[in-house]
Amino acid sequence: MRQRFGGRVQKLAVDAHLSCPNRDGSIATGGCTFCRNDAFSPAYCREADSITTQLDRALHFHHSRGRNADHYLAYFQSGTNTYAPVSALESIYREALSHSAISGIIIGTRPDCINSEILQLLAQIAQHYYVAVEYGIESVYDATLRHTNRGHDFATAVAAVAATKARNIDVGAHFILGLPNESRTDIIEGIHHINALDLDFIKFHQLQIYHATPLATEWELHPERFLFNDDFGTKQYVDLIVEIVRHLRPSTAIERFVSQAPPHLVAHSPLGGIRPDVVRTEVIDAMQSHGFSQGDLYIR
């Protein structure tokens, strides 16, 4: 982003108040077993506020904490941000882009909620602004996607990423590490499938189990299904991330190794309340001390 924009870039999360086909009955009800939307929605995103108001609040939030940037991107994070008629989506995206501080948009969505009409709209916008699409894929294994009530398979994600890249739109993906029944070996072998997507950017984060979710019940009843048990801490997680990075395609930018959520919402997390920058530092230190680099185990 620094190379592309020539300066520091900051994302400003906004909530477009869009639903999800996995909640409203189109695909299923109840959503994914791990999902709790308020766990990753910043406090400055209020459903009653317009996109413009949210951006103003976000700018104030970051400026008051000394986080000033040269360029800002509106990040449609909460919900499924392509899950509406194209005319409604265009209105939402254009409102964000009309803000004087905004240089582009990042659209968070599901791989089963994209089509050629939406991609055409995004391609048109991309002629004048920065545009990226970030797909929540979560796992490369269909058994895991079914188990967590995801509502789509990995082939759907492959097709969505390919269609987006064909429009010359930056595309990224989000993956959760430690979903039920996935071993360390499964996670590492899955990186080969991720590499085949040829993503521009990627986000990894540890499985966090939130209160009042089906996954919290599963954790209580079947803890043996989870890689991240009480013996799995920061050191083990850093070791896992190092191995992932070594297998990952060198050209894919890694945006995140770990996530945070309000502590009162978290029933279980292998890292507790550790800060993402601490994990990042430990990963880099571990790789440098061993002479490792991103992609040194990458297999074409």
Side-chain angles (χ1 to χ4, degrees):
M1 285 299 180
R2 288 178 185 267
Q3 292 172 353
R4 184 186 295 269
F5 286 94
R8 186 173 182 272
V9 179
Q10 173 72 53
K11 296 179 185 177
L12 304 177
V14 292
D15 188 339
H17 322 316
L18 297 179
S19 183
C20 172
N22 212 17
R23 289 187 176 276
D24 67 6
S26 297
I27 294 175
T29 57
C32 306
T33 64
F34 51 78
C35 185
R36 180 161 177 167
N37 207 43
D38 55 347
F40 56 85
S41 297
Y44 56 75
C45 292
R46 295 176 179 172
E47 290 192 4
D49 290 339
S50 68
I51 299 297
T52 301
T53 300
Q54 290 182 58
L55 289 170
D56 288 337
R57 288 170 57 86
L59 284 166
H60 175 75
F61 176 88
H62 289 289
H63 288 167
S64 66
R65 289 160 176 78
R67 302 171 188 162
N68 298 312
D70 302 297
H71 300 275
Y72 294 91
L73 304 176
Y75 177 27
F76 290 85
Q77 180 180 18
S78 301
T80 304
N81 293 288
T82 56
Y83 191 51
V86 172
S87 58
L89 295 175
E90 181 168 15
S91 177
I92 293 167
Y93 303 156
R94 296 289 185 189
E95 181 181 353
L97 291 166
S98 69
H99 195 287
S100 60
I102 296 302
S103 300
I105 55 176
I106 300 174
I107 310 297
T109 189
R110 293 166 54 94
D112 56 347
C113 291
I114 200 75
N115 57 44
S116 59
E117 193 176 7
I118 296 171
L119 289 174
Q120 179 62 27
L121 168 63
L122 295 178
Q124 291 172 353
I125 294 174
Q127 294 177 12
H128 305 284
Y129 300 94
Y130 176 77
V131 176
V133 178
E134 179 180 308
Y135 290 110
I137 300 176
E138 316 311 356
S139 174
V140 303
Y141 297 110
D142 288 347
T144 302
L145 297 173
R146 288 191 298 269
H147 185 85
T148 56
N149 194 40
R150 185 65 189 161
H152 65 78
D153 58 11
F154 185 62
T156 300
V158 172
V161 171
T164 308
K165 290 187 71 67
R167 299 280 187 169
N168 294 317
I169 297 170
D170 277 7
V171 58
H174 181 279
F175 291 92
I176 300 174
L177 306 177
L179 287 168
N181 302 316
E182 289 193 5
S183 67
R184 180 189 176 100
T185 299
D186 292 331
I187 292 171
I188 299 304
E189 289 181 352
I191 301 302
H192 302 305
H193 298 286
I194 292 173
N195 284 334
L197 296 172
D198 191 16
L199 298 166
D200 295 294
F201 61 94
I202 194 167
K203 292 180 177 178
F204 296 108
H205 80 67
Q206 81 284 15
L207 176 66
Q208 297 199 95
I209 300 173
Y210 303 120
H211 291 295
T213 61
L215 201 65
T217 301
E218 184 175 1
W219 166 256
E220 291 295 328
L221 296 176
H222 300 286
E224 73 279 0
R225 295 177 181 174
F226 294 82
L227 174 64
F228 297 163
N229 53 40
D230 292 336
D231 297 325
F232 196 101
T234 303
K235 181 183 183 304
Q236 290 80 9
Y237 189 72
V238 168
D239 289 344
L240 174 63
I241 290 294
V242 166
E243 191 167 359
I244 287 171
V245 174
R246 297 186 69 198
H247 283 86
L248 188 68
R249 179 188 287 265
S251 60
T252 301
I254 306 171
E255 288 200 353
R256 189 169 74 189
F257 295 134
V258 63
S259 70
Q260 290 180 300
H264 69 280
L265 298 180
V266 180
H268 176 73
S269 174
L271 306 183
I274 195 166
R275 288 166 35 188
D277 60 317
V278 172
V279 174
R280 178 181 180 275
T281 297
E282 292 194 15
V283 168
I284 292 173
D285 288 348
M287 294 191 69
Q288 289 180 338
S289 67
H290 290 91
F292 298 154
S293 61
Q294 180 175 337
D296 61 7
L297 297 179
Y298 168 58
I299 301 174
R300 295 182 180 275

